[in-house]
Amino acid sequence: MILIVGGAGYIGSHINKELNKQGYKTVIFDSLVKGHKEAVKWGDFFQGDLGNIEDIRGIFKKYPIEAVLHFAAFIEVGESVKDPQKYYQNNVKNTLNLFQVMLENDVKKIIFSSTAATFGNPQYVPIDEKHPQMPINPYGQAKLMVEKILADYDLAYGLKYVALRYFNACGADLDGEIGENHNPESHLIPLILDAALGKREDIKIFGTDYPTVDGTCIRDYVHVNDLAQAHILALKKLMDGGESDCFNLGNGSGFSVKQVIEVAKKVTGVDFKVTEVERRAGDPPELIADSKKAREILKWEPKYFDLKTIISSAWNWHKQLNKSD
Ligand code: UDP
């Protein structure tokens, strides 16, 4: 049985679907503070909070858990700057509860959702695993702390982990069964799609004076189904007795905010309003992953790297989601 902590959320729900498709048995642990019960369409469900260690003990008692995938975390960078306590408590302290109960039950395999935000402002791109990790906000800091804690736990207790550092996760399940639904939404693609649906007046471009081709920020957009494959490959590696490791996950090519908007206009067929505004604090001009290591060691092969496919999958889901609002 594979435990997916935070499996009712965006990325966790896609991995849950893929694991079930490949024959794994899963159980989802989620507080539903951010996750959606309707996203748990496969496996068992157990509502609980990582802040309450007895909840975690409860699920480990009920199910024969062999390995854990941990997605549960707050993810808003701006909020983490304003309220770091919320981030350190949930993303670090509550995560320690999970590790404690894993060790109590002798479960020593975990895939941890990390982030490109652990690198901070890039010193060079594409960013490989050797790039210094100097986060510039509490969100990235908290994720890096957990990576370091995992390294210590491996040395001391033999807890084997794979930390996967996502660049810009995006897109939705190609069958349209699940997708991205954050509240509040702060990510570029869903916000653009809201503008296309007329749910917001415009899409704001945060900064047009960056040192990039068209002055807007460049990001590495990686489809959530590709991320799902990387998780399963990482899980297999640990199940086969593999050592702990960290991988950067992205497509290795960047798109600017203006390029994303242009493709979204084509995909949706809507000429929504675009407004240029000031830069958003803390946005590096360019973030691109070097995922050679994941390709070589995990044999990861991302498939959905073209923007049109990514945005079309998100659009299919987004239209459907808003129909039922
Ligand atoms: N962005 C934007 N307008 C928005 C939201 C995001 O111009 O309404 C830009 C943001 O400045 C960044 C890129 O889009 O350069 C991706 O932002 P997102 O929040 O999706 O992901 P992040 O890169 O912050 O993880």
Side-chain angles (χ1 to χ4, degrees):
M1 195 76 156
I2 307 297
L3 168 61
I4 310 181
V5 179
Y10 170 45
I11 302 178
S13 62
H14 286 79
I15 280 107
N16 184 32
K17 175 170 179 176
E18 196 53 35
L19 280 169
N20 278 275
K21 230 169 146 181
Q22 295 196 21
Y24 291 88
K25 294 235 170 315
T26 61
V27 56
I28 310 307
F29 181 95
D30 202 296
S31 66
L32 300 182
V33 168
K34 294 284 178 184
H36 307 277
K37 180 77 205 309
E38 42 314 344
V40 186
K41 296 194 158 105
W42 306 270
D44 284 8
F45 177 68
F46 188 106
Q47 186 166 357
D49 197 318
L50 286 184
N52 180 356
I53 200 158
E54 292 310 326
D55 285 357
I56 315 173
R57 289 193 173 120
I59 194 169
F60 275 79
K61 210 166 169 185
K62 190 162 174 201
Y63 295 94
I65 291 162
E66 296 157 81
V68 178
L69 292 102
H70 177 30
F71 299 94
F74 293 137
I75 59 158
E76 289 159 54
V77 170
E79 183 187 54
S80 80
V81 176
K82 288 195 199 106
D83 191 3
Q85 178 170 255
K86 181 171 173 183
Y87 280 70
Y88 292 122
Q89 292 219 329
N90 190 42
N91 296 7
V92 183
K93 184 168 162 248
N94 294 350
T95 290
L96 289 183
N97 288 340
L98 173 65
F99 296 167
Q100 182 180 333
V101 178
M102 287 177 66
L103 293 176
E104 284 170 7
N105 287 275
D106 208 28
V107 175
K108 292 190 172 174
K109 295 179 180 70
I110 184 163
I111 311 294
F112 174 62
S113 278
S114 191
T115 168
T118 58
F119 293 109
N121 285 322
Q123 294 178 7
Y124 58 86
V125 285
I127 299 172
D128 57 14
E129 289 77 4
K130 293 192 185 80
H131 188 287
Q133 286 179 292
M134 292 197 288
I136 53 166
N137 51 59
Y139 169 70
Q141 199 80 265
K143 289 282 182 180
L144 180 58
M145 282 178 188
V146 175
E147 284 195 13
K148 291 187 169 171
I149 290 166
L150 282 168
D152 289 341
Y153 277 34
D154 182 8
L155 274 179
Y157 314 121
L159 180 70
K160 298 295 170 202
Y161 69 94
V162 174
L164 297 175
R165 303 173 186 137
Y166 317 144
F167 280 62
N168 285 61
C170 58
D173 170 43
L174 300 181
D175 307 324
E177 291 188 282
I178 39 178
E180 188 168 12
N181 184 9
H182 291 120
N183 186 18
E185 189 52 79
S186 62
H187 293 116
L188 180 65
I189 294 175
L191 289 175
I192 288 176
L193 300 180
D194 275 347
L197 282 176
K199 284 190 69 187
R200 53 179 60 237
E201 189 197 331
D202 61 358
I203 181 74
K204 296 190 169 45
I205 300 184
F206 296 147
T208 50
D209 58 348
Y210 284 99
T212 59
V213 264
D214 59 19
T216 66
C217 286
I218 292 178
R219 293 289 178 273
D220 183 330
Y221 294 90
V222 52
H223 196 282
V224 66
N225 282 4
D226 285 328
L227 291 180
Q229 294 305 337
H231 285 74
I232 293 172
L233 294 167
L235 179 65
K236 283 187 180 149
K237 172 177 148 77
L238 290 187
M239 301 285 246
D240 290 345
E243 286 304 314
S244 297
D245 218 336
C246 299
F247 297 96
N248 295 355
L249 299 181
N251 284 315
S253 54
F255 295 103
S256 73
V257 175
K258 281 190 176 165
Q259 285 169 329
V260 175
I261 290 174
E262 200 183 294
V263 175
K265 283 193 172 180
K266 286 201 186 109
V267 167
T268 61
V270 183
D271 188 19
F272 50 82
K273 187 173 164 205
V274 178
T275 313
E276 297 182 359
V277 299
E278 289 300 295
R279 291 181 178 196
R280 181 172 72 177
D283 274 340
E286 190 174 17
L287 284 176
I288 298 177
D290 179 337
S291 297
K292 241 186 251 111
K293 188 176 164 191
R295 288 167 188 269
E296 281 171 17
I297 296 182
L298 297 177
K299 310 283 177 226
W300 182 52
E301 281 176 40
K303 284 197 291 213
Y304 309 107
F305 37 77
D306 96 286
L307 258 189
K308 201 164 159 251
T309 313
I310 288 174
I311 296 175
S312 303
S313 68
W315 178 233
N316 282 342
W317 157 258
H318 212 80
K319 277 188 297 193
Q320 196 180 300
L321 177 73
N322 286 283
K323 241 188 248 160
S324 56
D325 265 6

